[in-house]
Amino acid sequence: MSQVSNLVIATAGIGRFVAGLGVKAALRAHHAGERMILLTAPSTAGFASTAPYFDEVWTDTTVEGWDVASILNLRRKLRLAGFARIYDLDHSRHSRFLFRVMYGWPGTAVRRSLPWSGVIEG
């Protein structure tokens, strides 16, 4: 049986990433024993990889511009991962775009665990 994986979307930049470290620590503690994967902007990836809250850090190059090949590659990677939960810490136009890329729908979270955090459970 494969291990449960959860995705945390935090592509809004280094300032918001640092401001949300407490939330990321809480998510890690809540999902102890599960894989936590962060999807973040290239400018944040280096710093994010030093945070002890994630098993993997994936880079979202689509945040920097419109490139069909990058979008399709990200779509394939996200769909194949089969995440149990997706935590949208940005709740932005770009994260709604990511939900459309993954699922082909507008990206309204089915449940919100925190006032500013969309959560999708698979």
Side-chain angles (χ1 to χ4, degrees):
M1 177 152 70
S2 64
Q3 186 177 24
V4 173
S5 293
N6 303 299
L7 178 68
V8 176
I9 298 172
T11 60
I14 192 78
R16 285 196 53 195
F17 184 85
V18 171
L21 284 175
V23 172
K24 293 163 183 76
L27 287 172
R28 170 79 275 172
H30 182 72
H31 294 290
E34 297 178 10
R35 292 191 57 69
M36 296 298 289
I37 297 171
L38 173 69
L39 181 66
T40 194
S43 60
T44 307
F47 178 78
S49 65
T50 66
Y53 313 122
F54 305 103
D55 298 297
E56 292 182 52
V57 175
W58 293 358
T59 304
D60 177 9
T61 59
T62 67
V63 77
E64 295 181 343
W66 185 258
D67 175 26
V68 175
S70 293
I71 292 168
L72 293 175
N73 286 335
L74 180 60
R75 178 184 190 195
R76 184 178 318 105
K77 187 174 186 175
L78 292 170
R79 285 184 167 192
L80 287 174
F83 295 110
R85 282 170 219 86
I86 300 171
Y87 291 93
D88 176 11
L89 301 186
D90 292 345
H91 224 43
S92 66
R93 173 190 251 181
H94 183 70
S95 60
R96 287 190 302 275
F97 167 75
L98 290 173
F99 285 115
R100 274 189 228 105
V101 165
M102 284 187 280
Y103 300 109
W105 53 272
T108 302
V110 292
R111 183 174 60 109
R112 296 178 81 173
S113 63
L114 301 169
W116 42 264
S117 170
V119 179
I120 302 297
E121 293 194 272

